[in-house]
Amino acid sequence: MKSIAEIRRDFPILERKIGGNPLVYFDNGATSQKPQQVIDSIVHFYTTYNANIHRGVHTLSQGATNAYEEARRKLQKHINAAKSYEVIFTSGTTEGINLVATCLTPFVKKNDEILVLTTEHHSNIVPWQFLCERTGAILRPIPIDEKGMIILEDFKSILSERTKVVSCQHVSNALGNVHPVKEIITLAHSVGAVTLIDGAQSCPHFTIDVQDLDADFYVASGHKMYAPTGIGFLYGKEVWLEKLPPYKGGGDMIKTVCFDKTTYADLPYKLEAGTPNICGGIAYGVAIDYMHSLGMTNIADHEHALLRYAHKQIHNIGGITIYGTNDLDHKAGVISFNINGAHPYDIGTLLDQMGIAVRTGHHCAQPVMDFYHIPGTVRASFAVYNTLEEVDRLIEGIRKAIKMLL
Ligand SMILES: *Cc1c(COP(=O)(O)O)cnc(C)c1O
């Protein structure tokens, strides 16, 4: 792998100073920074071959179409999907989940059950509530233990022939916990339920194999994995994508349109109406290449080393509660904590004055905060360009904040 110093040079934003201090960017769980390669691909697209895709015979349109479809194949390889048309471009995780929850409407009836983890991001709760309102189905949270891990025994006991959907995060954005999704999927399938995995926090950090997991649907966002905002993917097994009705109507998703009847295009276009985020899709492909040039295992190992170091150092400060599992083998590069007696918002504000960007608040996962009876947490989340020295800056910042607040 490139050295961390070399990797950091790929990310121009890391040269910024905040309040005179070099930026420490620890808000990667919200969005990652973008390497020059991705930024260049955006400029290159708009300066040399910007055109709409799938409809022009001219050179620019063919160039754009080829690059966009090439990006789809890169994603296919990245998650080991069997077919490239099982990868649907979306605007992000939120859209992917909304698409599935909307298109599953005809398959769900009154009193059917939809199970999600207690620690889900709101985008894996609210679309299912909409589905329940439409169909009379019931949304049930899967219990977690005090470390925020799924309780498999409880999960087994609430699974039944009424369970129609199990939708579960792979990694918690609020706690960093990595859930045993392969086991969850197997159990869900044993009662005939369809499964969706929210991979927004897993795809940036480690290799995903959707076939090995046997996931029916898997979703993620580009912007948390070094690509721009407004692009993401939905993986679906061919059998499921074939069964789903179209999500949106419009151009590109049709075969023939007349006023009596419209026939739909084949996959993946059936589920991709309208002009997509072409440039974003192409840049997503470049981001995937970038990650593979570093090596997914190297990325995971580096982030894990940061997590282990940060966990130990934060723990050593004393007077701090760390949320989520202590079993760091089942935790991705996210650490969520509170200084006892201080409000997370105040800590975040003080850290920002020292140039350290962390997230504070409920992290779009209010049920997790209710579970712990807290208003929110301070969350540091790591990416491949972060360093141990930056963790030291955080530790020093926390110590200063404690002196100022307590
Ligand atoms: C960020 C995130 C989402 C939502 O992703 P968007 O990019 O905002 O659509 C969903 N689930 C998890 C676990 C997340 O971290």
Side-chain angles (χ1 to χ4, degrees), residues 74 77-79 207 287-296 299:
K74 286 177 187 174
K77 276 212 196 102
H78 181 64
I79 59 171
T207 310
I288 298 284
D289 285 344
Y290 183 78
M291 292 175 80
H292 285 278
S293 77
L294 303 182
M296 292 303 293
I299 293 174

Side-chain angles (χ1 to χ4, degrees), residues 159-383:
L159 279 173
S160 73
E161 72 287 353
R162 288 212 306 274
T163 313
K164 279 293 139 65
V165 183
V166 174
S167 188
C168 171
Q169 60 191 190
H170 199 156
V171 174
S172 158
N173 63 303
L175 305 173
N177 292 357
V178 181
H179 293 287
V181 288
K182 192 170 172 176
E183 211 169 338
I184 292 169
I185 290 168
T186 307
L187 288 167
H189 284 165
S190 73
V191 294
V194 53
T195 53
L196 181 148
I197 304 299
D198 171 355
Q201 297 292 342
S202 52
C203 281
H205 304 298
F206 47 82
T207 310
I208 305 300
D209 183 334
V210 289
Q211 294 188 77
D212 177 58
L213 292 175
D214 200 25
D216 298 304
F217 298 105
Y218 199 102
V219 296
S221 298
H223 70 93
K224 293 179 179 174
M225 42 198 297
Y226 311 107
T229 51
I231 190 76
F233 75 85
L234 157 67
Y235 159 81
K237 277 186 193 160
E238 182 175 7
V239 280
W240 268 109
L241 293 178
E242 286 292 354
K243 270 193 262 185
L244 294 187
Y247 178 46
K248 294 173 186 164
D252 247 14
M253 55 74 71
I254 49 82
K255 224 172 230 157
T256 57
V257 178
C258 53
F259 282 104
D260 321 332
K261 175 140 184 73
T262 290
T263 56
Y264 306 128
D266 293 331
L267 292 172
Y269 312 112
K270 179 180 93 175
L271 293 164
E272 293 182 347
T275 300
N277 182 354
I278 302 166
C279 181
I282 294 169
Y284 200 175
V286 175
I288 298 284
D289 285 344
Y290 183 78
M291 292 175 80
H292 285 278
S293 77
L294 303 182
M296 292 303 293
T297 316
N298 293 333
I299 293 174
D301 289 350
H302 177 67
E303 290 171 351
H304 231 95
L306 294 171
L307 174 72
R308 284 187 185 283
Y309 184 63
H311 200 272
K312 186 160 155 243
Q313 296 298 323
I314 291 175
H315 183 77
N316 286 348
I317 295 172
I320 293 186
T321 308
I322 299 176
Y323 301 94
T325 180
N326 293 328
D327 173 5
L328 301 187
D329 289 337
H330 292 101
K331 195 160 175 152
V334 173
I335 183 158
S336 216
F337 60 92
N338 272 325
I339 297 175
N340 304 338
H343 196 282
Y345 180 82
D346 295 332
I347 302 159
T349 308
L350 287 173
L351 289 174
D352 179 56
Q353 287 167 9
M354 303 175 221
I356 304 164
V358 292
R359 187 73 153 195
T360 61
H362 55 61
H363 317 298
C364 296
Q366 280 180 3
V368 187
M369 304 304 138
D370 292 345
F371 180 79
Y372 289 115
H373 307 291
I374 49 176
T377 70
V378 181
R379 181 187 71 183
S381 48
F382 308 122

